[in-house]
């Protein structure tokens, strides 16, 4: 079955950043989509991670978000899946 999770990323005003791109470390069992939403008050990013695995079992991957922030140029989000 297709299953997806969506998260909203909103940079804090005192620690601003722009997202330059996203990717999965492995990418065998997930797909990643990022959309930028320019709200009137702030910028937000909508990250959708979709399961693409077809075989039963557990898998682990990570999503890497590339930013223009010099202190944290990469944000890593762990992804764990379990197909029953």
């Amino acid at each position: 079955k297709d299953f997806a999770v969506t998260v909203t990323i909103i940079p804090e005003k005192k620690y601003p950043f722009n997202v330059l791109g996203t990717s999965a470390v492995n990418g065998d069992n997930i797909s990643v989509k990022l959309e930028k939403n320019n709200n009137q008050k702030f910028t937000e990013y909508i990250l959708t991670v979709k399961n693409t695995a077809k075989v039963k079992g557990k898998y682990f991957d990570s999503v890497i978000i590339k930013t223009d922030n010099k202190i944290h140029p990469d944000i890593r989000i762990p992804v764990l899946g379990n197909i029953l």
Side-chain angles (χ1 to χ4, degrees):
K1 271 188 169 181
D2 289 339
F3 181 77
V5 175
T6 301
V7 294
T8 303
I9 301 164
I10 303 171
E12 289 190 38
K13 286 185 182 181
K14 62 182 181 176
Y15 303 110
F17 64 86
N18 291 300
V19 174
L20 305 175
T22 59
S23 63
V25 171
N26 188 342
D28 290 341
N29 297 304
I30 62 172
S31 66
V32 179
K33 182 174 99 173
L34 183 78
E35 298 173 86
K36 183 177 181 180
N37 185 12
N38 286 319
N39 191 315
Q40 291 178 352
K41 297 179 183 176
F42 51 84
T43 298
E44 65 182 9
Y45 298 92
I46 311 299
L47 175 68
T48 303
V49 179
K50 183 177 180 182
N51 172 68
T52 59
K54 304 294 183 205
V55 179
K56 289 183 181 181
K58 293 181 181 180
Y59 64 83
F60 179 79
D61 205 336
S62 291
V63 174
I64 303 294
I65 300 172
K66 299 267 186 209
T67 75
D68 62 357
N69 184 294
K70 293 185 184 344
I71 296 170
H72 293 288
D74 295 336
I75 299 169
R76 184 179 288 255
I77 300 173
V79 177
L80 174 65
N82 188 12
I83 308 301
L84 304 175

